Amino acid sequence: MTDSGSSLDRDPLDSSENDGSDLLDGVWDVVVVGAGPAGSSAAYAAARQGRRVLLLDKAEHPRYKTCGGGIIGPSRDTLPEDFKLPLQDRIHNVTFALNGRFSRTRRSKRMLFGLVNRDEFDLRLVQSAEQAGAVLATGVTVSGVEQQGGDTRTVVVTTADGRRIEARAVVGADGSASRIGRHVGVTFDQIDLGLEAEIPVPESVVRHWAGTIHLDWGPLPGSYGWVFPKTESGTLTVGVISARGDGEATKKYLQDYIRRLGLSGFTPLVESGHLTRCRAEDSPLSRGRVLVAGDAAGLLEPWTREGISYALRSGRLAGEWAVRVAEAGGAADVRRQALNYAFAIKAGLGVEMRAGKLMLAAFEKRPHLFHAAVCLVDPAWRAFARTTQGHTTFAQIVRDYRAARRLAAVAGR
């Protein structure tokens, strides 16, 4: 196992303090590209098995990340042992609105989910991977992957400054615009634009929002908006998301949403945007000794576009199966292990994504039915609450409840 005690203080790629010998000499068992939730989860899983693991990221941590920061039950249940969540707030209440109208607040005695700032959360995940034995190298931009094919036992990761890093297996977790994803051939059938503002507010406003989020079913097909309070930081994360293609309409929705909420008088600390991409059903999850996870694989919930739980869960699986790929001998064994990884993803997250796409298709046509159900029908509200708490999934709800199937069928007409 590699000693990572000094990795926070110097770049492992810098040989100036190592008498001319590069710490990258030799072959890494697993190289993980991207130190977000998927990458850190993969590095943690591989390093826990005593393998030599390198975790690469182009950014220095901590860094800002466009994200609501909701930690739902499946995310919490996949975190490393003894992980301490840097919670900003604990959510018990949800106010629903239909494009600013027909608001109703639903309440839960048990916490629905927690909220974090991604800079703090991601940093702690990276530190967990390091504590497990992974070596972190930041400020490294990966430019590509080279594979020879056949029974070649290693892969080469190339960097923008010309360095070459050799590994027995690679996990691509470098986001939705992933270079590793392009190498694997990942394809998408849903691309959405998310816009977000991080707004500092007075303490009285923070107290008003404490423990409560706002969800607004928006004016564009499949769109919605959210307010997530970061109580400890004294900010509100306000965002909207809709299908890519009409950026001006999405921008106007965010502006109108902020105005309706009475927040337009406050100056945002950060304004940002990002694209989310959902994989096509037949999109590959591996190529040779290279696996992809999280956003790089197009793994996220299609209706809500929630990605943290998908990143953590797919990252953990990718790290575990990358170890098996690293240990594989010939090409046939590599293919077998990679197929096993794909099967594990499709049997779990893939099933959930199919249900999410069904929900999204219905929601795009009849958002008012979903609003009425969650606001007025107690079983629908309980299903929402249980999903966020991690007690069930959209796939289980659609499978087990006739009413849910009927709602989706009626809404989708």
Side-chain angles (χ1 to χ4, degrees):
M1 184 181 296
T2 303
D3 179 12
S4 62
S6 61
S7 60
L8 286 174
D9 300 319
R10 74 169 187 270
D11 183 348
L13 303 187
D14 183 357
S15 60
S16 61
E17 298 182 17
N18 199 36
D19 298 325
S21 63
D22 196 328
L23 289 177
L24 294 181
D25 284 349
V27 180
W28 295 86
D29 293 318
V30 178
V31 169
V32 181
V33 182
S40 294
S41 184
Y44 173 83
R48 282 196 72 194
Q49 298 186 52
R51 300 307 189 268
R52 189 168 185 252
V53 178
L54 177 64
L55 178 59
L56 302 174
D57 201 285
K58 64 182 178 181
E60 302 286 341
H61 286 257
R63 83 287 187 255
Y64 180 82
K65 190 75 172 180
T66 302
C67 181
I71 304 299
I72 60 176
S75 297
R76 179 200 61 230
D77 296 342
T78 315
L79 291 170
E81 295 177 5
D82 301 322
F83 187 90
K84 185 174 176 58
L85 272 169
L87 288 179
Q88 288 285 320
D89 207 335
R90 293 167 171 81
I91 300 306
H92 289 260
N93 314 311
V94 182
T95 298
F96 297 98
L98 182 63
N99 195 22
R101 301 177 299 163
F102 311 118
S103 295
R104 183 173 180 186
T105 300
R106 297 287 245 169
R107 306 182 191 281
S108 171
K109 292 181 180 179
R110 296 183 179 181
M111 187 178 81
L112 297 169
F113 59 94
L115 296 176
V116 298
N117 284 329
R118 280 291 302 277
D119 53 355
E120 299 171 323
F121 179 69
D122 288 13
L123 177 60
R124 291 195 184 184
L125 286 173
V126 167
Q127 291 170 338
S128 292
E130 289 188 290
Q131 289 163 7
V135 173
L136 171 68
T138 58
V140 179
T141 300
V142 169
S143 58
V145 180
E146 297 176 3
Q147 297 192 81
Q148 299 301 318
D151 288 333
T152 305
R153 299 288 294 269
T154 59
V155 181
V156 173
V157 176
T158 60
T159 67
D161 59 3
R163 288 178 284 192
R164 298 170 64 82
I165 306 166
E166 196 170 6
R168 295 186 176 90
V170 171
V171 175
D174 47 335
S176 63
S178 168
R179 288 183 179 273
I180 309 302
R182 288 199 292 273
H183 171 80
V184 168
V186 175
T187 58
F188 310 99
D189 62 8
Q190 177 185 329
I191 303 178
D192 297 289
L193 171 64
L195 301 177
E196 192 173 86
E198 199 78 24
I199 305 176
V201 293
E203 185 178 348
S204 59
V205 178
V206 171
R207 287 198 304 268
H208 170 77
W209 282 96
T212 301
I213 66 165
H214 191 278
L215 295 178
D216 180 76
W217 314 124
L220 306 171
S223 68
Y224 77 96
W226 64 88
V227 180
F228 284 3
K230 308 298 175 61
T231 304
E232 294 297 317
S233 299
T235 62
L236 300 176
T237 301
V238 184
V240 301
I241 196 163
S242 66
R244 184 183 67 169
D246 196 343
E248 286 303 314
T250 305
K251 183 177 180 180
K252 183 177 185 304
Y253 176 29
L254 178 60
Q255 292 171 341
D256 291 345
Y257 186 41
I258 291 175
R259 176 183 52 78
R260 288 200 307 260
L261 292 165
L263 300 173
S264 55
F266 304 113
T267 302
L269 183 66
V270 180
E271 294 179 286
S272 59
H274 69 292
L275 294 176
T276 64
R277 297 175 169 90
C278 286
R279 68 186 295 271
E281 185 80 18
D282 59 351
S283 179
L285 291 159
S286 67
R287 177 180 174 185
R289 291 179 175 269
V290 179
L291 312 178
V292 285
D295 287 345
L299 293 167
L300 71 156
E301 206 292 306
W303 179 27
T304 64
R305 289 80 154 187
E306 189 276 326
I308 295 177
S309 73
Y310 280 69
L312 291 169
R313 289 182 284 174
S314 64
R316 176 70 68 93
L317 288 170
E320 292 170 351
W321 286 104
V323 169
R324 294 174 173 85
V325 169
E327 294 171 344
D333 195 15
V334 170
R335 281 195 297 272
R336 182 164 53 251
Q337 302 305 334
L339 284 172
N340 286 337
Y341 168 64
F343 177 80
I345 291 291
K346 292 176 181 178
L349 298 179
V351 172
E352 293 181 29
M353 288 187 71
R354 281 196 294 275
K357 288 182 179 182
L358 174 67
M359 300 284 279
L360 175 63
F363 174 71
E364 287 176 333
K365 295 180 179 180
R366 301 284 192 274
H368 61 280
L369 292 182
F370 283 78
H371 181 66
V374 78
C375 288
L376 303 175
V377 181
D378 286 341
W381 160 246
R382 287 195 294 269
F384 175 91
R386 286 175 55 79
T387 300
T388 64
Q389 292 164 337
H391 301 312
T392 189
T393 66
F394 290 145
Q396 290 172 322
I397 290 169
V398 171
R399 183 191 65 205
D400 296 340
Y401 294 95
R402 181 183 300 176
R405 294 194 297 272
R406 289 179 62 187
L407 172 63
V410 170
R413 290 174 185 167

